[in-house]
């Protein structure tokens, strides 16, 4: 079983976790340390290792712990950011390059599947985009024209593979789908077979750099490398990227249908947020994946309702026999619509990052592997001018952001709370969490399934925002930059680098 950063189980977690991690390292000096073993980290490490760089891949939990096991694993060149927007913000040539990059990512995945005979249900599928009102039809016409401009061949279609009413639809061939954790495990196995080093359950505490040498402290050891890659979905620490990437949650249902009307193809409506559909094979049987209802992380108090709404939406069009799986997952929307892949802002010449993938994580995570490998090996990538984080202009308020963070940390107080007050405050159902007021301060309370109550400081240690309870994933989520914590306070996802502080209990 693959562990994930959430309480709900995704369709992809039922894979046996390959026992791949080493427990000791052959030395402490590497060419590259890659931090994070999701699709970005594993692809980057594999390509670097095969290019002659000796790599160490470090993972705080297990491979695929983050969004790589929470994706719906669509592989499309129809990016989340509509091409008319990409053209208007980046120009025609760069929009063409973005389309080329998406196609290259699918080709890289297919190349790996073929070369290593990976059994991961990879299949080319036709992708459909459909409108349901006049405004969306106009939008679809503009998208269709923009697709032609960027070199993606799209045709108008009389039908769509899902039983929803629609006005107009376009279809694009050679989109694809796969099983993400089967693919990821196979890639990791190959990386190790190629001589790569891998430690899981090894969180990075901090990184020091004198420019030429990066010193990575992790698991009581210090590893040195010429280059490091933050493949952690969003980099840790305080960085311009945190002001340029907004965290979102997306919800997915895997449904068993009463009659086999599973779609043969990928389908997307044009709502905001949009819904997406595909079929996946699980234990030899098809399941319908329906996703959508996205919202900003930490901005939906009743995430349980989001699942109910999504299920009601699916039941409007399908005879659902059972909800086999349901889960939510996180992604980051970049300010200008395309991801940031390249040198870490403020990190010098030897620290690299990839983030801001929107809902195209499998595509951009794979492309990031290619780009980061090229940058580290040769110093160049055809995608540098398009995707480099250096395109971020100075961000107003960034120095205030740093200052305020320092203030918040100064004001961390070691409050205590009496057992009696805790009992009065904790009118919670088992499995419920809530931020409550106690003596003019806020306290995060969680009652576990045995009735034990945990009291935590709800102040996110990254930059001081107040976390919110996520009932769907039983986690504390930070609305500012997306850090997430287990119900009992342990860190699940950065950019924070430690968990929520516990509040002491007096008798
Ligand atoms: Fe930045 Fe919480 S993630 S303040």
């Amino acid at each position: 079983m693959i562990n994930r950063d959430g309480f709900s189980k995704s369709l992809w977690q039922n894979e046996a976790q390959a026992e791949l991690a080493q427990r000791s390292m052959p030395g402490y000096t590497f060419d590259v340390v890659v931090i994070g073993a999701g699709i970005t980290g594993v692809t980057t490490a594999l390509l670097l290792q095969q290019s002659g760089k000796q790599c160490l891949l470090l993972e705080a939990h297990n491979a695929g712990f983050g969004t790589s096991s929470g994706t719906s694993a669509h592989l499309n060149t129809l990016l989340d950011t509509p091409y008319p927007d990409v053209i208007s913000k980046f120009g025609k040539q760069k929009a063409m390059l973005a389309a080329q990059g998406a196609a290259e990512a699918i080709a890289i995945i297919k190349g790996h599947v073929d070369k290593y005979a990976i059994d991961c249900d990879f299949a080319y599928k036709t992708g459909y985009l459909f409108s349901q009102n006049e405004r969306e039809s106009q939008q679809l016409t503009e998208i269709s024209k923009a697709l032609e401009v960027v070199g993606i061949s799209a045709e108008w279609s009389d039908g769509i593979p899902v039983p929803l009413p629609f006005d107009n639809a376009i279809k694009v061939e050679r989109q694809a789908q796969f099983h993400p954790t089967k693919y990821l495990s196979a890639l990791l196995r190959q990386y190790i077979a190629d001589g790569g080093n891998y430690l899981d359950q090894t969180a990075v505490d901090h990184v020091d750099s004198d420019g030429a040498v990066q010193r990575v402290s992790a698991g009581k050891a210090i590893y040195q490398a010429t280059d490091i890659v933050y493949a952690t979905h969003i980099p840790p620490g305080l960085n311009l990227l945190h002001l340029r990437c907004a965290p979102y949650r997306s919800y997915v249902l895997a449904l068993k249908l009463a009659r086999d009307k599973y779609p043969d193809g990928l389908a997307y409506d044009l709502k905001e947020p949009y819904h997406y559909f595909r079929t996946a094979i699980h234990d030899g049987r098809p399941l319908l994946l329906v996703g959508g209802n996205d919202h900003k992380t930490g901005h939906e108090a009743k995430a349980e309702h989001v699942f109910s709404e999504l299920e009601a939406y699916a039941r409007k069009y399908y005879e659902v026999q059972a909800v086999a799986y349901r889960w939510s997952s996180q992604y980051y929307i970049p300010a200008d619509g395309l991801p940031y892949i390249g040198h870490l802002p403020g990190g010098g010449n030897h620290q690299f990052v990839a983030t801001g993938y929107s809902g195209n994580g499998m595509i951009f995570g794979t492309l990031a592997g290619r780009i980061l490998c090229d940058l580290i090996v040769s110093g160049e990538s055809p995608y540098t001018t398009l995707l480099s984080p250096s395109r971020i202009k100075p961000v107003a308020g960034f120095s205030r952001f740093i200052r305020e963070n320092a203030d918040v940390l100064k004001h961390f107080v070691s409050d205590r709370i009496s057992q009696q007050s805790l009992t009065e405050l904790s009118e919670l159902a088992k499995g419920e969490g809530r931020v409550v007021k106690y003596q003019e301060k806020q306290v995060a309370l969680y009652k576990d399934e045995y009735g034990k109550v945990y009291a935590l400081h709800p102040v996110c240690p990254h930059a001081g925002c107040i976390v919110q309870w996520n009932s769907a994933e039983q986690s504390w989520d930070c609305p500012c930059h997306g850090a997430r914590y287990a119900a009992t306070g342990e860190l699940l996802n950065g950019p924070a680098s430690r968990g929520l502080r516990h509040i002491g209990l007096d008798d």
Side-chain angles (χ1 to χ4, degrees), residues 142-207:
E142 281 162 25
I143 291 173
S144 167
K145 286 182 195 156
L147 288 173
E148 198 178 336
V149 169
V150 301
I152 294 177
S153 169
E155 282 176 27
W156 291 100
S157 175
D158 292 337
I160 57 175
V162 288
L164 276 76
F166 72 101
D167 291 350
N168 294 291
I170 54 173
K171 61 179 179 179
V172 178
E173 306 295 338
R174 302 283 283 184
Q175 310 295 288
Q177 63 182 38
F178 72 158
H179 187 304
T181 54
K182 283 183 179 173
Y183 175 76
L184 191 72
S185 295
L187 234 52
L188 185 54
R189 207 170 285 119
Q190 187 59 44
Y191 161 72
I192 290 164
D194 288 336
N197 299 285
Y198 171 50
L199 286 178
D200 66 3
Q201 310 299 335
T202 307
V204 170
D205 300 319
H206 66 271
V207 174

Side-chain angles (χ1 to χ4, degrees), residues 236-262:
L238 295 169
N239 194 279
L240 281 177
L241 289 165
H242 299 125
L243 301 186
R244 280 290 169 263
C245 295
Y248 278 76
R249 308 284 311 165
S250 191
Y251 294 75
V252 189
L253 303 176
L255 304 172
K256 190 166 185 296
L257 301 181
R259 292 173 227 290
D260 280 358
K261 283 193 346 199
Y262 295 90

Side-chain angles (χ1 to χ4, degrees), residues 460 462-465 478 480-483 485 495-496:
C460 174
H462 177 239
C465 295
C478 181
C480 289
H481 317 107
Y485 307 87

